[in-house]
Amino acid sequence: MPSLPDLAAEHPDYEDLFHNAPCGYVVTSPEWVISAANSTFATMVGAPASELAGRTFPDLLTTGSQLFHETRHVPVLRLQGRADEVALSLERADGTLVPTLVNSVLTTVDGTDEIRMAVFDSTGRRDYERDLLTARRAAESSETRVRVLQQASSAFALADTEEALADAIATAVRDAFTATHASVLLLDAQGELRLAAGVNQLRQTREPGVSSPSLEALRLKRTVTLPNPDHANSFVPGLGDALRAARLEAAIATPLLDKGEPTGVVVCHFGRQRNFDEGSVELFETLARQSSHVLARIRLQDQLTELALHDQLTGLANRKLLEERLNQTLAAVIRKQRAVAILFLDLDGFKVVNDQCGHAVGDSVLQQVSERLRHVVRAGDTIGRYGGDEFVIICDDTDGDAAMVIADRIRSVAREPLTGVPDSCPISASIGIALLGPSTNPAISSDNVLQLADAAMYTSKSEGKDRVTVVSV
């Protein structure tokens, strides 16, 4: 190996090459005391080269790099005589850090051992690797979000009722966000929130008058994130205290919207503080949007089913639904051997009202009578409009005496004055009752039962109207 004087003779600018080399160059004793350092290295550490002589190389490292130097760099150098691409961070005089890669060799010059190191600034490489790692994490996060959305979409698509959909939503958000518990609350016809699925511990323990993440999300019509109780208290006084009382630390809630109006809310609660980054919030809102579309579809289907099975004027069961309920009732009569009463009623004097007062008043009469019927029969009984001014009532688990009580109530409310109807046009009800029981022929059909009840009703009309006629089937 050429000596330093030989190199100097061959390269007159050797000193310039040494100090301005594209990497730092450091020479130390085996005890890591610096004997020489070029200008490039001095620039790295932010100190004049003249001040580096006599200092130890480890003193220029960060605390973590000092530990790595002792446990990794030194042992490898001593065992192998060299160490390549050792990642160490220098701490500059101003406190900033410079990541480096160090190649070092242990050599002997004129009988004296020394360590020579080439130090490369790896800031650019570190930033590049960091960008790669960030991109990889973003890709993994995106892949996870896509997988969550695909699984949720499949689960939502299988739901055919509000309850099934609510269960699917609660499960999806709880699993996606590893929440302590998740819940779905839906607005009912009165505008009140009801728990449709999941667990809402905060709702159970919250003091009256104190708001909640779900109520705030509905009020603001946007996502509400509460990363910790202190933030919750600053958002709504007392809300953070309510979280702590429920042994919770964080929450996120977003409304379910249909054409801009809330139909419910999805809530996740967490037992630990949680930072909600942009990606998490976006995923939560996307799940809510997907489920909102499905909820709107289910409710539309329910409305269409309601229209298909109910009379549009009175809201009572129509003939199709009556036949379905009657078939179910007949099966129960045979299977459970119990009594059932089928009431068939017709409004006396309704044709006169229609002819003299007009069809609008006639429609009003049907609506008023329908409402009165709802109040005089039991909650489990089925009331239907069979056609025109004819009504059918299916009274389950009802014998002859009980059926007569119900019929008398109907006759009584039918005779009461009706809005828009003059006293000269009285209304009453003629009723026929078909009684079914254990002795009923199993082969009888719903049509047969209705025909018998209808015939009994006409008997009441023929005998003077506003009467009740009973037949046993």
Side-chain angles (χ1 to χ4, degrees), residues 170-252:
T171 299
V173 297
R174 184 187 65 243
D175 294 347
F177 295 91
T178 59
T180 302
H181 53 72
S183 59
V184 177
L185 300 98
L186 298 178
L187 287 167
D188 59 21
Q190 289 72 42
E192 297 293 329
L193 274 180
R194 64 176 178 85
L195 182 64
V199 177
N200 193 327
Q201 186 176 344
L202 178 62
R203 196 163 184 249
Q204 298 170 358
T205 60
R206 180 169 50 90
E207 293 293 331
V210 177
S211 189
S212 67
S214 56
L215 292 176
E216 291 304 310
L218 286 177
R219 180 179 67 85
L220 299 171
K221 295 184 182 180
R222 64 170 176 82
T223 301
V224 170
T225 57
L226 305 173
N228 56 67
D230 291 338
H231 179 92
N233 274 333
S234 64
F235 184 69
V236 174
L239 182 51
D241 298 332
L243 284 172
R244 287 194 178 99
R247 297 182 179 179
L248 300 170
E249 293 288 322
I252 182 172

Side-chain angles (χ1 to χ4, degrees), residues 321-453:
L321 182 55
L322 276 172
E323 290 176 352
E324 289 181 3
R325 295 282 175 83
L326 186 52
N327 286 329
Q328 294 170 0
T329 301
L330 289 176
V333 168
I334 304 305
R335 186 176 65 256
K336 299 182 179 180
Q337 297 289 293
R338 65 187 184 196
V340 171
I342 309 301
L343 282 67
F344 199 116
L345 68 95
D346 180 270
L347 297 181
D348 307 318
F350 180 75
K351 185 177 184 304
V352 176
V353 171
N354 245 355
D355 292 343
Q356 295 187 9
C357 303
H359 291 288
V361 174
D363 288 347
S364 175
V365 168
L366 294 175
Q367 291 171 333
Q368 292 179 63
V369 171
S370 298
E371 190 61 29
R372 292 177 184 182
L373 292 178
R374 290 187 178 95
H375 288 89
V376 297
V377 303
R378 300 166 304 181
D381 295 338
T382 298
I383 315 170
R385 183 185 176 196
Y386 194 69
D389 60 335
E390 295 176 331
F391 297 84
V392 172
I393 303 172
I394 303 172
C395 300
D396 196 11
D397 198 16
T398 304
D399 59 17
D401 292 338
M404 284 299 299
V405 171
I406 296 172
D408 287 340
R409 289 176 183 168
I410 293 172
R411 291 172 53 236
S412 177
V413 297
R415 288 193 299 265
E416 294 177 0
L418 293 160
T419 302
V421 179
D423 295 339
S424 59
C425 300
I427 293 290
S428 61
S430 292
I431 302 174
I433 300 177
L435 293 176
L436 295 82
S439 61
T440 297
N441 185 348
I444 194 168
S445 68
S446 59
D447 286 341
N448 296 147
V449 173
L450 289 173
Q451 289 170 3
L452 291 170

